[in-house]
Amino acid sequence: MAEQNFPTGNLMAGKRGLIMGVANKNSIAWAIARQLAAQGAELAFTYQGEKLLRRVKPLAESVMPKGSNGEPILCDCDVTNDQQMEATFHTLKEEWGKIDFLVHAIAFAGKDQLAGSFIDNTTRDGFKSALDISAYSFVDAGRRAAAIMNDGGAMVTLTYLGSERVIPNYNVMGVAKAALEASTRYMAADLGPRQIRVNAISAGPIKTLAAAGIGSGRHMFRFNKAASAMQDNTDPMGVAGAALYLLSDLGLSCTGETHHVDGGFHAIGMPQEGPLRESMPD
Ligand code: NAD
Ligand code: 0WE
């Protein structure tokens, strides 16, 4: 993403929330955090282990409004660790009393699960851990967050088209994203009466740590650009804008939704011939 200015305003003024899933400046969660901060939100962050604190701390400090009493709230939180999950939301309750929103941008499957044949390569343990980290973690974080959303609230998670259609090598992550999207709907139903909205954003491919080292990466980005309605790759700023809509009061009455931000790739049945030829010269 080029250096960009996120539109400023007051859409998130007076709102506080937790961002889970910043690993570095390319993380989708970081684009969302910057957009929310530009609209006046106060943010807390989780990070996955000490190694990532070195990256996340300076980022967090750069968006915390000056004069807000010093240190941003940073919690070490591996989502498979119940004690760390407990401690994270305990800290938020202690520091803030309540929260208004949650951003969940976490996914993981073992590298061996993300290549070749789905039916042959998906192991019981690989399946369990992909669904635990990538889908159950939203249910778990959502339950803990809702417990301190005393004034209504909103939650957003990040998903991918591989939940709806077969994308080569995405494999068990596609199954995990299907579970994540279904969880979004069930959570929306449970929390709706308390004025807590729960939505998912289905982003097109974006060059982040999680998208690096994908075997067919070059091909995937070129194909997505050529075959999408907008004939361009997905800009994380569009994802951040969608998150702002869904997490602010603009999102009123929208819940249980999976909103695609992918240049219209999901809407295309057959891509135009021209751009495809250019992207894949024989
Ligand atoms: P990223 O690598 O920047 O973020 C992934 C995050 O998941 C990291 O911060 C990592 O620390 C965290 N994580 C993994 N396992 C964890 C665990 N056990 N406990 C706590 N945190 C853990 O990559 P990203 O692309 O920004 O991914 C964010 C979300 O966006 C993911 O859910 C991903 O599936 C989704 N998404 C990504 C793309 C894309 O092309 N990059 C497209 C659509 C959806
Ligand atoms: O959700 C994702 C990626 C999530 C992810 C990435 C990794 C890489 C490193 C989960 N687990 C791991 N495990 C690792 O060891 N995306 C939407 C990005 C992505 O990943 C793909 C894609 C796309 C798009 C994998 C194969 C094919 C397409």
Side-chain angles (χ1 to χ4, degrees), residues 217-227 233 278-281:
R218 236 172 83 88
H219 171 67
M220 186 187 59
F221 282 101
R222 289 204 311 197
F223 182 84
N224 269 267
K225 180 169 171 153
N233 285 124
E278 284 161 40
S279 83
M280 296 183 289

Side-chain angles (χ1 to χ4, degrees), residues 276-277 279-282:
L276 260 198
R277 278 195 186 286
S279 83
M280 296 183 289
D282 29 43

Side-chain angles (χ1 to χ4, degrees), residues 107-112 114 134 159-161 167-171 173 177 203-206 208-216 220-221 224:
F108 185 81
K111 215 176 173 64
D112 57 315
L114 295 175
S134 312
T159 185
Y160 177 58
L161 188 68
I167 306 289
N169 304 318
Y170 200 62
N171 295 9
M173 271 308 306
K177 291 302 194 188
I206 291 171
T208 64
L209 201 58
I214 298 165
S216 48
M220 186 187 59
F221 282 101
N224 269 267

Side-chain angles (χ1 to χ4, degrees), residues 30 45 56-66 70-72 74:
W30 178 237
F45 296 84
V56 178
K57 195 174 183 211
L59 294 175
E61 284 168 348
S62 76
V63 290
M64 282 307 290
K66 290 178 213 78
E71 307 276 281
L74 290 159

Side-chain angles (χ1 to χ4, degrees), residues 106-126:
I106 288 171
F108 185 81
K111 215 176 173 64
D112 57 315
Q113 306 290 295
L114 295 175
S117 160
F118 169 73
I119 195 169
D120 289 334
N121 297 351
T122 306
T123 63
R124 188 187 300 274
D125 282 349

Side-chain angles (χ1 to χ4, degrees), residues 132-194:
D132 184 20
I133 297 169
S134 312
Y136 180 70
S137 66
F138 186 48
V139 183
D140 194 20
R143 185 186 62 260
R144 297 174 191 276
I148 52 173
M149 286 180 173
N150 306 328
D151 234 1
M155 307 178 185
V156 157
T157 188
L158 272 300
T159 185
Y160 177 58
L161 188 68
S163 62
E164 306 170 61
R165 314 227 213 111
V166 172
I167 306 289
N169 304 318
Y170 200 62
N171 295 9
V172 74
M173 271 308 306
V175 177
K177 291 302 194 188
L180 178 68
E181 290 167 26
S183 301
T184 298
R185 292 185 285 271
Y186 280 91
M187 291 161 72
D190 284 342
L191 299 175
R194 295 185 45 209

Side-chain angles (χ1 to χ4, degrees), residues 81-97:
N81 184 318
D82 288 324
Q83 286 81 43
Q84 291 182 356
M85 286 289 282
E86 185 68 34
T88 295
F89 288 90
H90 179 78
T91 300
L92 293 181
K93 192 181 164 72
E94 293 287 294
E95 295 284 327
W96 288 345

